[in-house]
């Protein structure tokens, strides 16, 4: 695509820049409207400036991605109602040998969960839980929040349903679920281990908690409070919700399950449906409709008003993605991304090691300038077309490299991944265990972790 007219390029850049600024700094003094409103503002400016038409804006919204996110969030809500957190709390705390052991468990659990239920959903579900766990052991929240976000991002790379950009890649490339998994799983496993080592090295002295007796004397949260944790939806806002909203989010009495035979049947059904969803995905069925079908099946099996569960879905996150899709498509129509790729393409061919390095650097840069999903939307087709000229195997490898690097690149800065933003917002919003994870606190860890994990694991993604 050639560069558009000068006024379209300038106005499109202004709209995209507005979106980017509010995504990084949602509470800027002159426009403290938050990330969700910021994404809608960017989309609206694209239309007002005639960079994109209203019809094109609607067409740019990727419904399969929104459907997958919605479905997995609903399934996660029902899994929480089936006491998933109680079992998870026991798993993380069982015979724990201190902060270092606990951090390793958080990394492994979040990586595994993200591969199955997306990194965004994992971070939505686990952030406040991890805050409680850290406080229970009298440990600082920062290493655990960084461990959760970074491991969730790395773990999500292993499957097409692990994150939104992987879903885009799976749909566009038509790579099957199993093929995608077997190609990226080795890099993911090595990446998780390397990331754990980096976190332990950076926070070794901080990961030593006090004895249980000392924690009780200081009023630190106890086991029962951790395992009784309730799911609360992500709010893509820099403001904390009012107390009455917190009460609703953490569950009113009518949301609790009674200890009856009917409850046991329902709980078993929840796990059976969740496993069935994974089996269907492995069979190659449509990922979005599989997740939505599983969500609706759980609502029917529950046999009660689904409103309270649906209220917990993070609609602000879904709206954020809608605005982002429109903004990115508008920016793509300015021709700037295409011009950039045309300049870099001769140096980024994956049949040479230097080309793979250049391509990875380009993906890393763009993923942190405009997030990883927009990067895949902007570059995916062009990168694949360039690789297809080499061989069909090279085309498949280019998609997998794009999936791996764009996912790991999410750990570079807070803006690199929506999962990072979710952890940041959820932690800041918590009324009882809140922690403000700043942009700079994250980048001190994110830069070395991203570079080292990418460099060590990238050679494992080969052409088969």
């Amino acid at each position: 695509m050639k560069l558009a007219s000068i006024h379209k390029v300038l106005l499109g850049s202004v709209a995209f820049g507005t979106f980017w600024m509010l995504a990084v700094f949602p509470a800027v003094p002159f426009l403290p409207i938050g990330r969700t409103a910021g994404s809608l503002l960017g989309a609206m400016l694209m239309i007002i400036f005639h960079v994109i038409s209203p019809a094109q804006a609607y067409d740019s919204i990727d419904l399969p991605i929104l459907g997958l996110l919605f479905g997995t969030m609903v399934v996660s809500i029902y899994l929480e109602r089936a006491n998933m957190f109680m079992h998870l709390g026991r798993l993380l705390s069982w015979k724990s040998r201190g902060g270092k052991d606990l951090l390793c468990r958080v990394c492994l659990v979040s990586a595994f969960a993200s591969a199955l239920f997306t990194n965004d959903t994992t971070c939505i579900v686990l952030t406040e839980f991890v805050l409680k766990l850290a406080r229970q052991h009298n440990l600082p929240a920062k290493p655990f929040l960084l461990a959760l976000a970074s491991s969730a991002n790395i773990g999500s790379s292993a499957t097409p349903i692990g994150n939104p950009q992987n879903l885009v890649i799976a749909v566009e490339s038509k790579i099957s679920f199993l093929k995608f998994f077997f190609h990226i799983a080795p890099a993911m496993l090595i990446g998780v281990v390397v990331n754990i080592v980096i976190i332990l090295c950076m926070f070794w002295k901080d990961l030593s908690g006090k004895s249980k007796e000392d924690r009780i004397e200081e009023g630190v949260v106890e086991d029962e409070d951790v395992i009784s944790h309730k799911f609360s939806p992500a709010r893509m806002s820099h403001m904390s919700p009012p107390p009455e909203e917190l009460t609703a989010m953490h569950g009113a009495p009518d949301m609790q399950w009674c200890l009856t035979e009917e409850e046991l049947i329902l709980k078993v059904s929840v796990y059976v449906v969740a496993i069935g969803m994974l089996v269907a995905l492995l069979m190659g069925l449509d990922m979005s409709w599989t997740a939505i079908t599983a969500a609706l099946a759980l609502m029917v099996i529950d046999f009660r008003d689904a409103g309270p569960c649906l209220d917990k879905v993070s609609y602000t996150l879904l709206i954020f993605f809608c605005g982002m899709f429109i903004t990115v498509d508008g920016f793509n129509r300015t021709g700037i991304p295409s011009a950039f790729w045309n300049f870099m393409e001769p140096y980024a061919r994956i049949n040479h090691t230097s080309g793979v390095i250049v391509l990875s650097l380009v993906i890393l840069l763009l993923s942190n300038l405009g997030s990883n999903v927009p990067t895949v939307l902007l570059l995916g087709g062009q990168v694949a077309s360039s690789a297809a000229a080499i061989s069909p195997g090279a085309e498949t490898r280019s998609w997998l490299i794009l999936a791996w690097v764009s996912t790991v690149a999410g750990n570079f800065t807070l803006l690199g991944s929506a999962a990072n933003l979710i952890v940041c917002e959820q932690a800041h919003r918590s009324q009882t265990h809140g922690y403000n994870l700043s942009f700079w606190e994250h980048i001190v860890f994110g830069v070395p972790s991203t570079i080292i994990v990418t460099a060590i694991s990238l050679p494992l993604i080969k052409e088969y």
Side-chain angles (χ1 to χ4, degrees):
M1 180 184 295
K2 296 181 179 180
L3 280 174
S5 60
I6 294 179
H7 81 276
K8 191 172 183 178
V9 169
L10 292 176
L11 293 177
S13 299
V14 169
F16 186 81
T18 301
F19 159 75
W20 183 89
M21 178 187 65
L22 292 175
V24 182
F25 308 107
V28 290
F30 56 88
L31 199 62
I33 62 175
R35 294 186 173 97
T36 298
S39 72
L40 292 178
L41 177 60
M44 183 197 70
L45 290 176
M46 286 291 183
I47 296 173
I48 291 177
F49 293 157
H50 297 288
V51 178
I52 188 173
S53 70
Q56 290 169 336
Y58 285 121
D59 290 340
S60 68
I61 296 175
D62 201 316
L63 292 179
I65 291 179
L66 297 180
L68 176 67
L69 288 173
F70 172 81
T72 53
M73 280 192 279
V74 172
V75 171
S76 296
I77 291 167
Y78 277 96
L79 284 171
E80 179 271 323
R81 290 184 61 189
N83 288 337
M84 180 183 71
F85 283 107
M86 181 183 69
H87 303 307
L88 186 60
R90 289 173 177 169
L91 173 65
L92 290 175
S93 300
W94 183 66
K95 294 185 178 180
S96 175
R97 298 180 179 180
K100 302 175 186 66
D101 175 48
L102 196 61
L103 185 134
C104 291
R105 297 187 189 198
V106 169
C107 289
L108 294 174
V109 168
S110 61
F112 176 76
S114 294
L116 299 179
F117 299 110
T118 82
N119 55 349
D120 296 340
T121 301
T122 297
C123 291
I124 290 169
V125 171
L126 292 183
T127 298
E128 191 164 353
F129 177 80
V130 166
L131 285 171
K132 287 184 178 182
L133 201 60
R135 187 179 177 189
Q136 179 196 32
H137 292 81
N138 196 33
L139 295 166
K142 181 167 73 172
F144 289 92
L145 293 175
L146 292 173
L148 171 62
S150 60
S151 297
N153 284 328
I154 296 172
S156 72
S157 66
T159 65
I161 62 171
N163 54 58
Q165 66 268 19
N166 278 11
L167 176 61
V168 173
I169 290 170
V171 171
E172 294 294 327
S173 67
K174 296 180 174 56
I175 300 175
S176 69
F177 190 101
L178 282 175
K179 186 175 182 180
F180 195 105
F181 173 77
F182 284 122
H183 277 71
I184 292 191
M188 182 272 285
L189 293 173
I190 295 298
V192 170
V193 173
V194 171
N195 191 57
I196 290 174
V197 172
I198 293 172
I199 298 175
L200 289 176
C201 290
M202 293 185 69
F203 298 99
W204 185 269
K205 293 182 179 179
D206 299 327
L207 294 173
S208 58
K210 297 183 180 180
S211 67
K212 185 170 183 178
E213 291 74 15
D214 291 336
R215 297 199 304 270
I216 293 175
E217 290 177 3
E218 295 177 5
V220 178
V221 62
E222 288 303 310
D223 293 344
E224 292 76 10
D225 190 21
V226 174
I227 64 175
S228 63
H229 167 74
K230 294 296 178 182
F231 175 94
S232 58
R235 307 290 184 187
M236 296 298 287
S237 168
H238 58 286
M239 302 297 290
S240 297
E244 60 270 18
E245 186 176 345
L246 280 172
T247 301
M249 288 191 297
H250 286 278
D254 64 330
M255 284 290 290
Q256 308 303 318
W257 287 38
C258 298
L259 296 175
T260 63
E261 182 178 350
E262 179 181 331
E263 174 199 8
L264 178 61
I265 295 174
L266 288 171
K267 289 181 179 179
V268 172
S269 299
V270 169
Y271 288 107
V272 169
V273 169
I275 294 172
M277 181 184 78
L278 296 177
V279 171
L281 293 172
L282 290 172
M283 292 173 61
L285 299 183
D286 183 273
M287 287 178 282
S288 296
W289 280 110
T290 296
I292 294 173
T293 301
L296 290 172
L298 291 175
M299 296 179 203
V300 173
I301 292 172
D302 194 13
F303 204 67
R304 69 178 74 184
D305 181 12
C309 280
L310 290 176
D311 286 341
K312 287 188 172 186
V313 172
S314 179
Y315 297 105
T316 53
L317 182 62
L318 298 178
I319 294 172
F320 174 84
F321 273 93
C322 289
M324 180 181 65
F325 287 137
I326 297 172
T327 306
V328 168
D329 189 44
F331 188 60
N332 200 24
R333 291 176 186 274
T334 65
I336 294 176
S338 295
F340 174 75
W341 176 249
N342 290 337
F343 174 77
M344 297 301 302
E345 193 271 341
Y347 311 101
R349 294 174 180 169
I350 64 171
N351 54 337
H352 302 290
T353 301
S354 60
V356 173
I357 295 173
V358 171
L359 176 61
S360 300
L361 291 175
V362 169
I363 297 170
L364 176 63
L365 173 65
L366 294 182
S367 293
N368 286 278
L369 286 177
S371 191
N372 41 25
V373 177
T375 295
V376 169
L377 292 171
L378 291 170
L379 286 185
Q382 299 179 78
V383 171
S385 296
S386 175
I390 301 172
S391 70
E395 181 181 5
T396 299
R397 187 187 180 206
S398 71
W399 282 115
L400 296 171
I401 290 175
L402 182 61
W404 170 250
V405 179
S406 65
T407 299
V408 178
N411 289 334
F412 199 83
T413 68
L414 271 178
L415 182 62
S417 167
N420 297 343
L421 300 177
I422 289 169
V423 169
C424 178
E425 294 294 340
Q426 293 283 80
H428 178 68
R429 180 178 52 80
S430 175
Q431 293 290 301
T432 55
H433 314 291
Y435 181 85
N436 185 24
L437 182 64
S438 71
F439 182 87
W440 302 112
E441 281 183 317
H442 184 280
I443 205 171
V444 169
F445 159 77
V447 170
S449 172
T450 303
I451 294 174
I452 295 172
V453 169
T454 303
I456 291 177
S457 301
L458 188 59
L460 298 177
I461 301 177
K462 301 178 181 178
E463 182 177 335
Y464 294 92

